[in-house]
Amino acid sequence: MVGIAAGVTATAASAFLTYSVRAPSAAVFGASVYRGGQERRAVALTFDDGPSESTLSLLEELARQQVPATFFQCGANVERLPAVAREVRAAGHEIGNHSHTHPLFCFRSPWFIETEFRRAQEAILQVTGAAPSLLRAPFGARWFGFRRAQRRLRLLGVMWTVIGYDWRLEADSIVARVLRGISNGAIICLHDGRGLRTNPDIRETIEAVRRLIPRLRACGYSFETVSQLLCPTT
Ligand SMILES: [Zn+2]
């Protein structure tokens, strides 16, 4: 019986840890938002892992459809492609912090986690002239020390309401996933990069965005940056 009880406890502890690290709504390792207010018919498109060589094509599509978005950028990518990072900012999009080198934080030290976000914060500020107020953990995985890093850098954690799995799905499936998960105040997670990889193929993402925007507009949704979605007066 003791063995069974211990096994159940270990299973429950493991499930709780998985929830704490991964679940968009979990706040165990630090406060995060995963959606905006549900009273307005607005949503936010977010793109992680850029800037990349492929980001400019996405910017063209967003400009063509006149949609603002939020880009959670990696500091190392910003240093590698400063002109692209500046283009994102110049186009009026919001830039958030997605760590410097896109590591998985599980089992890393609080110092390591804070240093990752601090380096990215400095790189983004230096290159674009704007300091992010939002951060998103690489792989959405938070860990011990994440809360302290957020507090010391004064960054609000942002997860997502719906994630498109756009790094492995085709445009049709990405669109279907997002439409299934959409509602007022939704934060949609897509990608304009693949970690620190050069020349990532994001054609399915761009095609999904091209189709999604008119579909969502037809349902009455408008598009905002994450900060606009969370604080409608800004
Ligand atoms: Zn990422």
Side-chain angles (χ1 to χ4, degrees), residues 1-36:
M1 282 299 284
V2 171
I4 293 169
V8 169
T9 305
T11 304
S14 167
F16 180 70
L17 187 60
T18 302
Y19 163 80
S20 305
V21 171
R22 293 279 189 187
S25 59
V28 179
F29 292 123
S32 291
V33 297
Y34 65 99
R35 63 173 318 123

Side-chain angles (χ1 to χ4, degrees), residues 48-49 98 102 138-139 191:
D48 293 359
D49 295 18
H98 196 43
H102 206 269
F139 310 101
H191 296 75

Side-chain angles (χ1 to χ4, degrees), residues 78-136:
V78 170
E79 289 177 349
R80 186 169 62 83
L81 297 168
V84 181
R86 280 192 285 270
E87 281 289 321
V88 172
R89 168 90 177 129
H93 302 296
E94 180 168 20
I95 297 179
N97 184 329
H98 196 43
S99 82
H100 199 69
T101 64
H102 206 269
L104 184 63
F105 284 145
C106 300
F107 305 105
R108 305 306 294 256
S109 71
W111 177 85
F112 177 87
I113 293 172
E114 185 175 330
T115 301
E116 274 286 327
F117 284 120
R118 190 177 296 282
R119 286 182 71 194
Q121 195 74 4
E122 288 167 1
I124 293 167
L125 174 60
Q126 190 171 12
V127 167
T128 71
S133 59
L134 310 172
L135 91 171
R136 178 177 280 162

Side-chain angles (χ1 to χ4, degrees), residues 1 10 15 17 51 70 73 85 99 132 144 156 168 190 195 200-201 206 208 221 223-224:
M1 282 299 284
L17 187 60
T70 303
Q73 296 184 336
S99 82
F144 302 95
L156 174 66
R168 64 178 167 87
L190 298 169
D201 182 354
I206 295 172
Y221 291 106
F223 294 88
E224 300 183 347

Side-chain angles (χ1 to χ4, degrees), residues 25 30 55 91 106 120 135 142 157 167 210 214 230:
S25 59
T55 300
C106 300
L135 91 171
R142 291 143 297 168
W167 61 92
R210 190 183 71 78
L230 298 176

